[in-house]
Amino acid sequence: MIMPAMRSHAVTLSIGLAMWMGCTGEPPPDDPGEPPTAEVTSAATTGAIQLNLLYIHGVENSAGSKTSAQNTLNDLKAAVAADLPALIASYQASHPGVTVTFASASANLYTATPSGIHPSDSTDPTLMDDWEVGDPGCSSKVQGDPCTTAYEWRFRLAKEIHRLFPATAKNIILIGHSTGGRTAFEVASNTGPGGVGTFDWGVQNQIAGVVSINGVIDALEPNRYNVIGAADFIATCKDSDAIASIFGAGVPGNGWCEYAGNVSGVAAADWVGQHKRSRVLISTASCSPSLWTGNSDGSLPFAAEGSPFSVGLNMTPAPGETYTVAYGHSYGAFCHSTITNGGDANHAAAVASAKAQIEDLIFTSAVRVDQQGTIATTQAVPYNGSTPTYAVGGACPAGDVGINPQVQAVGVCHHPGFFDGDDHAITNGWSVGNGTTCNGTFKWSQIHDSNNPHNANFWWQTRSVPTGGGLLSTLPPG
């Protein structure tokens, strides 16, 4: 069972990432049919670089919210757009001969062009979240086959990219909340029913990166997450009465329950993190109601919002009265819908934090994970004793340089026997060193318990950035 509170508290050893805060802007007027407009354009001298941002909503449950789903990230979209003219002017001033053009748009997958493949008993395309495996008139075997919710989300996102940007559009950054973040990773990585690279959605070469905000990245059915109540996640999700008792009116469709429960987006997020650029924004807070025990944003477990090649390591309670890692950048103590709910007291702070992270990715530090892994001690570490010095990482990818510090590591100290409930995140005793490329070292000294030796588990990442710093420096002109 995940334990939400223990005698020792989980605290991440934060080696590296800082948070930049900004301010919000006013949302633009609602217009679901309006194509993107060029926000900033100046005359090209030696090269013009396109920068295209596409905002993607998450699951909506009511008919009204589905028809206006494109507006859910309007505050974030407006806040970024308000900052970009000055940021682009500064970038152009320091890069003579370079011109940057910027456009943004918002997708609505509920009203987007459907695939035309649907269950025979579901003719309303806005009900795509209801499409389960094996529905009448379908030959689907798994979520991701045509005639399922997963396929339809991916298909329609690709269609929205084609509709909202010309075929010549380059350097698209997908910015998705919740399921929109998951689907963005899947389309960018050409994920099909067989996994990454098994279906060509036709837009991969146009996509430069993905930003997910409270994304449904990992599958929620595995026993590494504990849903409140006696049933598993999918059974709970499909039980309208059970879900309504927690979240009130408006429940997700059964097809979405299968998609979120059985299909993992971890491999898709890892592919984008390794082959393009990503910024995975995760959060946990005291959110009521909550579907989960342990750390969550109310709707998702903290550890389900990222993947191993997402920059950032955060400790969180796990089943078995111990701790595990939540991958990604913790952008604040926000509940799942804080970023989209203008009435939430923390909405402005969530928008400001997410905006700052998007701008940092584009202009300053398109940091990515080069290598990552786990290490377990082979024998208990006595008081004032130390682990070996672990050497991790290697050469930087072509075009990248190491970021200082080059190693980020977190760990859990295991208390033996009956008292394993006292397991805790390691908060002291670290020694971390930089290497000469994208590598480094770390070791841990056990300096907190003079009575007992302890084993430990560690998670680590080595990281790099483009030589020009931000994602913009890697984008081709044209």
Side-chain angles (χ1 to χ4, degrees), residues 156-249:
R156 296 190 195 186
L157 176 54
K159 285 296 184 182
E160 283 289 84
I161 292 171
H162 283 141
R163 180 180 76 86
L164 294 167
F165 295 101
T168 55
K170 299 179 180 179
N171 308 329
I172 298 171
I173 300 174
L174 304 177
I175 302 168
H177 174 242
S178 191
T179 305
R182 144 82 77 89
T183 306
F185 282 124
E186 292 172 336
V187 169
S189 62
N190 276 337
T191 292
V196 170
T198 63
F199 196 98
D200 185 1
W201 295 106
V203 292
Q204 186 178 80
N205 290 338
Q206 294 176 267
I207 298 170
V210 174
V211 176
S212 67
I213 306 169
N214 299 93
V216 190
I217 305 303
D218 200 8
L220 301 179
E221 183 70 3
N223 60 10
R224 65 177 302 204
Y225 309 117
N226 281 6
V227 68
I228 289 175
D232 60 21
F233 168 75
I234 292 179
T236 301
C237 185
K238 289 186 176 183
D239 184 341
S240 296
D241 291 336
I243 286 291
S245 69
I246 298 173
F247 290 103

Side-chain angles (χ1 to χ4, degrees), residues 329-387:
H329 183 81
S330 181
Y331 76 112
F334 306 122
C335 295
H336 188 73
S337 298
T338 298
I339 191 71
T340 61
N341 180 6
D344 189 304
N346 294 316
H347 175 70
V351 169
S353 181
K355 178 202 71 165
Q357 289 298 317
I358 293 167
E359 293 170 0
D360 177 70
L361 172 71
I362 295 171
F363 292 96
T364 306
S365 181
V367 60
R368 67 179 175 188
V369 176
D370 298 322
Q371 296 186 31
Q372 58 80 33
T374 62
I375 297 173
T377 55
T378 57
Q379 59 184 16
V381 181
Y383 182 62
N384 283 335
S386 301
T387 65

Side-chain angles (χ1 to χ4, degrees), residues 60-112:
E60 298 292 339
N61 296 321
S62 69
S65 63
K66 289 177 180 179
T67 59
S68 60
Q70 74 283 349
N71 298 321
T72 60
L73 291 173
N74 270 358
D75 287 356
L76 177 61
K77 177 183 174 185
V80 173
D83 283 359
L84 281 180
L87 291 170
I88 288 175
S90 176
Y91 185 88
Q92 292 178 157
S94 61
H95 296 78
V98 174
T99 298
V100 178
T101 62
F102 163 61
S104 66
S106 298
N108 187 332
L109 305 192
Y110 289 106
T111 59

